[in-house]
Coordinates of all heavy atoms in Angstrom, one line a residue:
I19 N 0.9 -1.1 0.0 CA 0.0 0.0 0.0 C 0.9 1.3 0.0 O 1.7 1.5 0.9 CB -1.0 0.1 1.2 CG1 -1.9 -1.2 1.1 CG2 -1.8 1.3 1.3 CD1 -1.7 -2.2 2.4
T20 N 0.8 2.0 -1.0 CA 1.6 3.2 -1.2 C 1.0 4.4 -0.9 O -0.1 4.8 -1.4 CB 2.1 3.3 -2.7 OG1 2.8 2.1 -3.1 CG2 3.0 4.5 -2.8
L21 N 1.5 5.1 0.2 CA 0.9 6.5 0.5 C -0.5 6.6 1.2 O -1.0 7.6 1.3 CB 1.1 7.6 -0.7 CG 2.6 7.8 -1.0 CD1 2.6 8.7 -2.3 CD2 3.3 8.6 0.1
G22 N -1.0 5.4 1.5 CA -2.3 5.4 2.1 C -3.4 5.8 1.3 O -3.6 5.6 0.1
G23 N -4.6 6.2 1.9 CA -5.8 6.7 1.1 C -6.5 5.4 0.7 O -7.3 5.5 -0.1
S24 N -6.3 4.2 1.4 CA -6.9 3.0 1.0 C -7.8 2.3 2.1 O -7.4 2.7 3.3 CB -5.9 2.0 0.6 OG -5.0 2.5 -0.3
S25 N -8.9 1.6 1.7 CA -9.6 0.9 2.7 C -10.1 -0.3 2.2 O -10.3 -0.5 0.9 CB -10.8 1.7 3.3 OG -11.6 2.1 2.2
F26 N -10.2 -1.4 3.2 CA -10.5 -2.8 2.8 C -11.4 -3.3 3.7 O -11.5 -3.1 5.0 CB -9.1 -3.6 2.8 CG -8.2 -3.0 2.0 CD1 -7.1 -2.2 2.6 CD2 -8.0 -3.2 0.6 CE1 -6.2 -1.6 1.8 CE2 -6.9 -2.7 -0.2 CZ -6.0 -1.8 0.4
Q27 N -12.4 -4.2 3.2 CA -13.2 -5.0 4.0 C -12.9 -6.5 4.1 O -12.8 -7.0 2.9 CB -14.8 -4.8 3.6 CG -15.7 -5.4 4.5 CD -17.2 -5.2 4.1 OE1 -17.4 -4.9 2.9 NE2 -18.2 -5.3 5.0
F28 N -12.8 -7.1 5.3 CA -12.5 -8.5 5.3 C -13.8 -9.3 5.3 O -14.8 -9.1 6.1 CB -11.7 -8.8 6.6 CG -10.4 -8.3 6.5 CD1 -10.2 -6.9 7.0 CD2 -9.3 -9.0 6.2 CE1 -8.9 -6.4 7.0 CE2 -8.0 -8.4 6.2 CZ -7.8 -7.1 6.5
L29 N -14.1 -10.2 4.3 CA -15.3 -10.9 4.2 C -15.1 -12.2 4.8 O -16.1 -13.0 4.9 CB -15.6 -11.0 2.8 CG -15.8 -9.8 2.0 CD1 -16.3 -10.0 0.6 CD2 -16.7 -8.8 2.6
K30 N -14.0 -12.6 5.5 CA -13.9 -13.8 6.3 C -12.9 -13.4 7.6 O -12.1 -12.5 7.4 CB -13.0 -14.8 5.6 CG -13.8 -15.3 4.3 CD -12.9 -16.5 3.5 CE -13.5 -17.0 2.3 NZ -12.6 -18.0 1.7
D31 N -13.2 -14.2 8.7 CA -12.3 -14.0 9.8 C -10.8 -14.4 9.4 O -10.5 -15.2 8.6 CB -12.6 -15.1 10.9 CG -14.1 -14.8 11.4 OD1 -14.5 -13.7 11.3 OD2 -14.5 -15.7 12.2
S32 N -9.9 -13.6 10.0 CA -8.5 -13.9 9.7 C -7.6 -13.4 10.8 O -8.1 -12.8 11.9 CB -8.0 -13.4 8.3 OG -6.7 -13.9 7.9
V33 N -6.3 -13.4 10.6 CA -5.3 -12.7 11.4 C -4.4 -11.9 10.5 O -4.1 -12.5 9.5 CB -4.5 -13.7 12.3 CG1 -3.4 -12.9 13.1 CG2 -5.5 -14.5 13.1
I34 N -4.0 -10.8 10.8 CA -3.3 -9.9 10.0 C -2.0 -9.4 10.6 O -2.0 -9.3 11.8 CB -4.1 -8.7 9.3 CG1 -4.6 -7.7 10.4 CG2 -5.3 -9.4 8.6 CD1 -5.0 -6.5 9.9
C35 N -1.1 -8.8 9.8 CA -0.1 -7.9 10.4 C 0.3 -6.9 9.3 O 0.2 -7.1 8.1 CB 1.2 -8.8 10.6 SG 2.6 -8.0 11.2
I36 N 0.5 -5.6 9.8 CA 1.0 -4.5 9.1 C 2.4 -4.1 9.4 O 2.6 -4.1 10.6 CB 0.1 -3.3 9.3 CG1 -1.4 -3.8 9.1 CG2 0.4 -2.1 8.4 CD1 -2.3 -2.7 9.6
S37 N 3.1 -3.9 8.4 CA 4.5 -3.6 8.6 C 5.0 -2.5 7.6 O 4.2 -2.1 6.8 CB 5.4 -4.8 8.4 OG 5.4 -5.2 7.0
G38 N 6.2 -2.0 7.7 CA 6.7 -1.0 6.9 C 6.3 0.4 7.2 O 6.4 0.7 8.5
A39 N 5.8 1.2 6.3 CA 5.5 2.6 6.6 C 4.3 2.8 7.7 O 3.5 1.9 7.7 CB 5.1 3.3 5.4
D40 N 4.4 3.8 8.4 CA 3.2 4.1 9.3 C 2.3 5.0 8.6 O 2.5 6.2 8.4 CB 3.8 4.8 10.6 CG 2.6 5.1 11.6 OD1 1.5 4.8 11.2 OD2 3.0 5.6 12.7
L41 N 1.2 4.3 8.1 CA 0.2 5.0 7.3 C -1.1 5.2 8.1 O -2.2 5.4 7.7 CB -0.2 4.3 6.0 CG 1.0 4.0 5.1 CD1 0.5 3.3 3.8 CD2 1.7 5.2 4.7
N42 N -0.8 5.4 9.5 CA -2.0 5.7 10.4 C -3.2 4.8 10.2 O -4.4 5.2 10.1 CB -2.3 7.2 10.2 CG -3.2 7.7 11.3 OD1 -3.3 7.1 12.4 ND2 -3.8 8.7 11.1
A43 N -2.9 3.5 10.3 CA -4.0 2.4 9.9 C -5.0 2.4 11.0 O -4.7 2.6 12.3 CB -3.3 1.1 9.9
E44 N -6.3 2.2 10.7 CA -7.4 2.0 11.6 C -8.1 0.8 11.3 O -8.5 0.6 10.2 CB -8.3 3.3 11.5 CG -7.6 4.5 12.0 CD -8.5 5.8 11.8 OE1 -9.3 5.7 11.0 OE2 -8.4 6.6 12.7
L45 N -8.6 0.0 12.3 CA -9.4 -1.2 12.2 C -10.7 -0.8 12.8 O -10.9 -0.6 14.0 CB -8.7 -2.4 12.8 CG -9.5 -3.6 12.6 CD1 -9.8 -4.1 11.2 CD2 -8.8 -4.8 13.5
N46 N -11.7 -0.7 12.1 CA -13.1 -0.4 12.6 C -13.0 0.9 13.3 O -13.4 1.1 14.4 CB -13.7 -1.5 13.4 CG -13.9 -2.8 12.7 OD1 -14.2 -2.8 11.4 ND2 -13.6 -3.9 13.2
S47 N -12.3 1.9 12.8 CA -12.1 3.3 13.4 C -11.2 3.4 14.5 O -11.1 4.4 15.1 CB -13.5 3.9 13.6 OG -14.3 4.0 12.4
K48 N -10.5 2.2 14.9 CA -9.6 2.4 16.0 C -8.1 2.1 15.4 O -8.0 1.2 14.7 CB -9.9 1.3 17.0 CG -11.3 1.5 17.7 CD -11.6 0.4 18.8 CE -13.0 0.6 19.4 NZ -13.3 -0.3 20.4
P49 N -7.2 2.8 16.0 CA -5.8 2.7 15.5 C -5.2 1.4 15.9 O -5.7 0.7 16.7 CB -5.0 3.7 16.5 CG -6.0 4.6 17.0 CD -7.3 3.9 17.1
V50 N -4.4 0.9 14.9 CA -3.8 -0.6 15.0 C -2.3 -0.3 15.0 O -1.9 0.6 14.2 CB -4.4 -1.5 13.9 CG1 -5.8 -1.9 14.3 CG2 -4.2 -0.9 12.6
P51 N -1.5 -1.2 15.7 CA -0.1 -1.0 15.8 C 0.6 -1.6 14.5 O -0.1 -2.6 13.9 CB 0.2 -1.6 17.0 CG -0.9 -2.7 17.3 CD -2.0 -2.1 16.6
L52 N 1.7 -1.2 14.2 CA 2.6 -2.0 13.4 C 3.3 -3.1 14.0 O 3.4 -3.2 15.2 CB 3.6 -1.0 12.7 CG 3.2 0.2 11.9 CD1 4.5 1.0 11.7 CD2 2.6 -0.2 10.6
N53 N 3.5 -4.2 13.1 CA 4.4 -5.3 13.6 C 3.7 -6.1 14.7 O 4.5 -6.6 15.6 CB 5.7 -4.9 13.9 CG 6.3 -4.0 12.8 OD1 6.4 -4.3 11.6 ND2 7.0 -2.8 13.2
H54 N 2.4 -6.2 14.7 CA 1.7 -7.2 15.6 C 0.7 -8.0 14.9 O 0.2 -7.6 13.8 CB 0.9 -6.2 16.5 CG 1.5 -5.5 17.6 ND1 2.5 -4.6 17.5 CD2 1.6 -5.9 19.0 CE1 3.0 -4.2 18.7 NE2 2.4 -4.9 19.6
S55 N 0.5 -9.2 15.4 CA -0.6 -10.1 14.9 C -1.9 -9.4 15.4 O -2.1 -9.2 16.6 CB -0.4 -11.5 15.3 OG -0.4 -11.7 16.6
I56 N -2.9 -9.2 14.5 CA -4.2 -8.7 14.9 C -5.4 -9.6 14.5 O -5.5 -10.0 13.3 CB -4.2 -7.3 14.2 CG1 -3.0 -6.4 14.6 CG2 -5.6 -6.6 14.6 CD1 -2.9 -5.3 13.8
K57 N -6.3 -9.8 15.4 CA -7.4 -10.8 15.1 C -8.3 -9.8 14.2 O -8.6 -8.7 14.5 CB -8.0 -11.2 16.4 CG -9.3 -12.0 16.2 CD -9.8 -12.6 17.5 CE -10.3 -11.5 18.4 NZ -10.9 -12.1 19.6
I58 N -8.9 -10.5 13.1 CA -9.9 -9.9 12.3 C -11.0 -10.6 12.3 O -11.1 -11.9 12.1 CB -9.2 -9.8 10.8 CG1 -8.1 -8.9 10.8 CG2 -10.4 -9.3 9.8 CD1 -8.5 -7.4 11.0
L59 N -12.3 -10.0 12.6 CA -13.5 -10.8 12.4 C -14.2 -10.3 11.1 O -14.0 -9.2 10.5 CB -14.5 -10.3 13.5 CG -14.0 -10.6 14.9 CD1 -15.0 -10.2 16.0 CD2 -13.8 -12.2 14.9
K60 N -15.1 -11.2 10.6 CA -15.8 -10.9 9.4 C -16.4 -9.6 9.4 O -17.1 -9.1 10.3 CB -16.8 -12.1 9.1 CG -17.6 -12.0 7.8 CD -18.6 -13.1 7.7 CE -19.5 -13.0 6.5 NZ -20.5 -14.0 6.4
N61 N -16.3 -8.9 8.1 CA -16.9 -7.6 7.8 C -16.1 -6.4 8.4 O -16.5 -5.3 8.5 CB -18.4 -7.5 8.2 CG -19.1 -8.3 7.3 OD1 -18.9 -8.4 6.2 ND2 -20.2 -9.0 7.9
S62 N -15.0 -6.8 9.2 CA -14.1 -5.6 9.7 C -13.6 -4.7 8.4 O -13.3 -5.4 7.4 CB -12.9 -6.2 10.5 OG -13.4 -6.8 11.7
V63 N -13.4 -3.6 8.7 CA -12.9 -2.5 7.9 C -11.6 -2.0 8.3 O -11.4 -1.5 9.4 CB -13.8 -1.4 7.5 CG1 -13.3 -0.4 6.7 CG2 -15.1 -1.9 6.9
L64 N -10.6 -2.1 7.4 CA -9.3 -1.6 7.6 C -8.9 -0.4 6.7 O -9.1 -0.5 5.5 CB -8.2 -2.7 7.5 CG -6.7 -2.3 7.6 CD1 -6.3 -2.1 9.2 CD2 -5.8 -3.5 7.2

C-alpha cells in the first residue's frame, strides 16, 4: 500500500499484520499498531 488513502473490508475471519511505513492504519475506526498479529472478524474494515 503506497501513501495510504486505502480501505479494505474483510469478508472472512483472519489474522493480519501490518509492517513497513506508518500510514496511520485504523481497524473499525480504532488505531492499530505496526508489527503485531491482529485478530480480524468478518466484515471488519481496515
Side-chain angles (χ1 to χ4, degrees):
I19 298 121
T20 303
L21 294 172
S24 307
S25 55
F26 309 92
Q27 183 178 23
F28 293 86
L29 304 184
K30 297 178 181 179
D31 295 349
S32 190
V33 180
I34 67 167
C35 180
I36 303 166
S37 65
D40 183 353
L41 302 185
N42 194 18
E44 296 177 327
L45 180 63
N46 299 326
S47 301
K48 295 182 180 179
V50 291
L52 293 173
N53 308 313
H54 281 67
S55 61
I56 301 163
K57 180 171 69 174
I58 294 291
L59 296 177
K60 180 179 178 180
N61 293 324
S62 294
V63 173
L64 179 65

